[in-house]
Amino acid sequence: MRINVVIRYVGMVLQFIAAFMFLSAVVSWLNDYDSAYYPLLLSSFITALLGTFPLLFVEKVDEISIKEGYGIVVGSWLVACIVGMFPYLIWGGEFTMINAWFESVSGFTTTGASILNDIEYLPRGLLFWRSSSAWIGGVGVVMFALVILPSMGKSRHMLSNVEISTIARDNFHYRSKVIFRILISLYTSFTLITTLALKYAGMTWFDAVTHAMTSCGTCGFSTKNSSIAFWDNPWIEVILIVAMTLSAIHFGILYATITGRKNNIFRSEVVRTFIGMMLIISLMIAVSLVAADIYPDFGTAMRHAAFQVVSISTTSGFATADTNTWTPLAIMLLIFCSVICGCAGSTSGGMKVDRLLIASKVIRNRMKIQLHPNAVIRTKVDGIVQEESTQSLVMTFIVAYIMLVILGTVVYTLFGCDLITGVTASISCISNVGPGFGEIGSMDNFSELPGVLKLNSTLLMLIGRLEIFGFIQLLFIRSWR
């Protein structure tokens, strides 16, 4: 693997991130040079400088190998998180080194977990940068960079294969260049429409923009300490439910729906399963909340249940209620939602509904084969035959996911967390959900965890965002043949 090639392309990503830091500095300037102006401006300059050196001193190459592709993708995520710390560290406040790293990783991986005890104390420029990191991470650091790098040629295809998982690519029947255009155009359009809707529903322009960025990026970063509960506005909640749901559906299917093609959301088995799952779970939770007298009527219970189910299922992590006070049934169902999450090819994390469907069909077909040994049974999802290699990869992913959750739980409990906190922290971080239960509930944060557990959390976030194998494969890159 040519390290210089990897560094060159990572440098291009840094230039893109520097542009968003500069935009955040402009927001500070528009807000009477708030206290984040100089930290953001300096961070933008440093990041741009770091990205410029490789472009000046490393020669351009036409093609990259798969090893270099993995190096560029994983390297870009890691370096993005590192430079993302700069504005926080320079500004100060609650941002120690470990806290700045945690907030940066949480943003870029769209986890939405936080170490901040007083979010509203942050200046607007820094709040905008916080939301920007989530928006960039939503569709992928590398994906954004690929759109603005038209000279990459065949290298585009290589990097898109590394960035997008196998099950996500099944619904993208387009050339790589078209895929990038579809992703970014839909993503920016959803963000713009959500911004206008939130402003009309009662938010300020600043809050509307930042919440649109984080809802479309399926990250729970809010500008308020009490998250969406601050507004107590049903219309804002409905708008965010729609935005989060659309962002958690495969963008290829959304594009097909808009352009009138056959493989649309109304015919997709995955989408039907995803939305049906959220509806059924919302109803079950609402009934349990009314039965336990937590809410006085079914309408109020359904309102809060639906929002929290969608928020967790899409890995957004916004909150309108303290779910720690909900019934055991409600908590168990929300934990299930934080494991499965959204669809492949979306901005959400987690195990994905696609894998759940494939795994359930593999198990069902295995039972049929036990009864009819000579039968030839194919596993199909949305009309697409799933190859043996895909089925094997899905089952391997699920096993690896469970093992990592168990390992993460062991680490959390080893350093003093109770079991419910340890389990849900592990799940929420590797699924990029954000809030869990216990000490890290929907109205709490990760600030009280010791430094070693914050590091453990960020490692799980990165592993989850890179779909487990994207990160792990880089560790064994020397053994590739």
Side-chain angles (χ1 to χ4, degrees):
M1 182 172 68
R2 296 167 295 179
I3 298 297
N4 59 322
V5 174
V6 174
I7 293 173
R8 176 181 172 83
Y9 286 115
V10 171
M12 294 177 179
V13 172
L14 288 181
Q15 296 278 16
F16 178 75
I17 293 172
F20 268 84
M21 287 181 177
F22 182 77
L23 181 60
S24 301
V26 171
V27 172
S28 287
W29 172 67
L30 292 173
N31 284 276
D32 299 323
Y33 292 96
D34 66 32
S35 59
Y37 176 72
Y38 289 109
L40 286 165
L41 199 63
L42 180 58
S43 299
S44 175
F45 175 75
I46 294 172
T47 304
L49 198 63
L50 290 172
T52 300
F53 280 119
L55 299 180
L56 292 176
F57 299 107
V58 179
E59 187 178 352
K60 177 186 172 183
V61 295
D62 294 325
E63 294 185 17
I64 59 175
S65 67
I66 190 168
K67 285 185 181 181
E68 291 159 355
Y70 273 105
I72 292 167
V73 170
V74 179
S76 295
W77 280 98
L78 291 173
V79 173
C81 293
I82 291 170
V83 299
M85 298 166 58
F86 293 167
Y88 301 135
L89 283 173
I90 298 172
W91 185 78
E94 293 185 69
F95 293 112
T96 60
M97 180 69 76
I98 183 61
N99 284 352
W101 168 250
F102 185 97
E103 204 75 9
S104 180
V105 173
S106 182
F108 279 110
T109 60
T110 71
T111 304
S114 182
I115 47 77
L116 293 170
N117 290 304
D118 190 0
I119 296 169
E120 295 172 35
Y121 179 70
L122 267 62
R124 284 196 166 187
L126 208 58
L127 286 172
F128 187 84
W129 165 244
R130 194 166 169 259
S131 297
S132 295
S133 66
W135 196 70
I136 295 168
V139 79
V141 180
V142 176
M143 280 297 165
F144 265 119
L146 291 176
V147 173
I148 60 172
L149 302 176
S151 62
M152 290 184 67
K154 294 180 180 179
S155 298
R156 280 174 175 264
H157 181 69
M158 175 65 70
L159 290 180
S160 67
N161 285 342
V162 175
E163 180 81 346
I164 302 174
S165 68
T166 304
I167 57 172
R169 287 197 297 270
D170 286 341
N171 279 302
F172 274 125
H173 305 296
Y174 311 98
R175 292 179 292 111
S176 293
K177 187 176 181 180
V178 179
I179 290 176
F180 307 142
R181 224 173 22 236
I182 291 171
L183 281 170
I184 304 303
S185 61
L186 284 176
Y187 195 51
T188 52
S189 298
F190 287 164
T191 305
L192 178 61
I193 293 169
T194 305
T195 298
L196 296 173
L198 289 173
K199 177 63 176 71
Y200 182 77
M203 283 189 176
T204 64
W205 276 114
F206 180 78
D207 288 330
V209 170
T210 51
H211 283 84
M213 292 170 77
T214 53
S215 61
C216 292
T218 60
C219 173
F221 279 166
S222 176
T223 57
K224 306 299 180 184
N225 292 327
S226 55
S227 191
I228 308 305
F230 173 86
W231 286 275
D232 192 23
N233 185 322
W235 288 110
I236 287 176
E237 292 164 23
V238 169
I239 292 165
L240 289 174
I241 284 174
V242 173
M244 291 185 292
T245 301
L246 290 176
S247 299
I249 294 173
H250 196 295
F251 276 35
I253 294 176
L254 292 174
Y255 179 76
T257 306
I258 294 169
T259 55
R261 305 195 181 199
K262 291 182 178 180
N263 56 324
N264 53 53
I265 58 175
F266 305 105
R267 297 189 177 190
S268 171
E269 183 182 5
V270 173
V271 175
R272 287 199 305 270
T273 302
F274 177 52
I275 294 177
M277 179 187 77
M278 290 194 295
L279 283 172
I280 293 170
I281 292 175
S282 296
L283 284 168
M284 292 175 67
I285 290 177
V287 170
S288 75
L289 294 177
V290 172
D293 287 329
I294 293 177
Y295 293 107
D297 58 85
F298 182 78
T300 304
M302 188 63 187
R303 171 188 165 186
H304 290 291
F307 187 89
Q308 292 307 137
V309 167
V310 172
S311 180
I312 296 297
S313 296
T314 60
T315 73
S316 299
F318 288 121
T320 58
D322 185 0
T323 52
N324 264 332
T325 63
W326 286 9
T327 63
L329 174 63
I331 291 173
M332 286 303 299
L333 289 172
L334 287 175
I335 291 174
F336 172 78
C337 290
S338 65
V339 171
I340 305 304
C341 303
C343 309
S346 69
T347 63
S348 69
M351 190 180 291
K352 304 289 196 309
V353 175
D354 309 64
R355 290 192 180 96
L356 176 67
L357 264 180
I358 292 173
S360 62
K361 290 187 175 187
V362 167
I363 294 170
R364 183 195 64 188
N365 291 345
R366 175 56 56 188
M367 294 173 67
K368 287 182 178 179
I369 290 172
Q370 292 289 345
L371 297 173
H372 308 284
N374 296 323
V376 177
I377 303 173
R378 293 180 176 179
T379 301
K380 291 184 178 181
V381 173
D382 283 339
I384 299 172
V385 177
Q386 303 299 312
E387 302 294 336
E388 288 291 336
S389 58
T390 301
Q391 296 177 43
S392 176
L393 188 59
V394 165
M395 302 308 286
T396 304
F397 181 95
I398 292 172
V399 171
Y401 179 95
I402 294 171
M403 289 176 64
L404 285 167
V405 167
I406 294 172
L407 182 60
T409 302
V410 169
V411 175
Y412 281 111
T413 53
L414 184 64
F415 286 90
C417 288
D418 59 86
L419 187 59
I420 187 67
T421 301
V423 171
T424 57
S426 187
I427 292 173
S428 69
C429 287
I430 198 169
S431 292
N432 305 127
V433 172
F437 294 93
E439 297 174 31
I440 55 159
S442 56
M443 291 297 173
D444 298 298
N445 57 44
F446 285 67
S447 62
E448 296 302 316
L449 296 184
V452 66
L453 291 185
K454 290 175 183 176
L455 283 174
N456 181 60
S457 299
T458 57
L459 178 61
L460 290 173
M461 291 177 200
L462 286 165
I463 291 173
R465 190 58 188 167
L466 288 161
E467 302 251 329
I468 297 179
F469 298 114
F471 187 89
I472 293 175
Q473 279 180 308
L474 190 69
L475 302 179
F476 299 96
I477 204 165
R478 287 184 175 275
S479 63
W480 290 12
R481 295 290 184 268

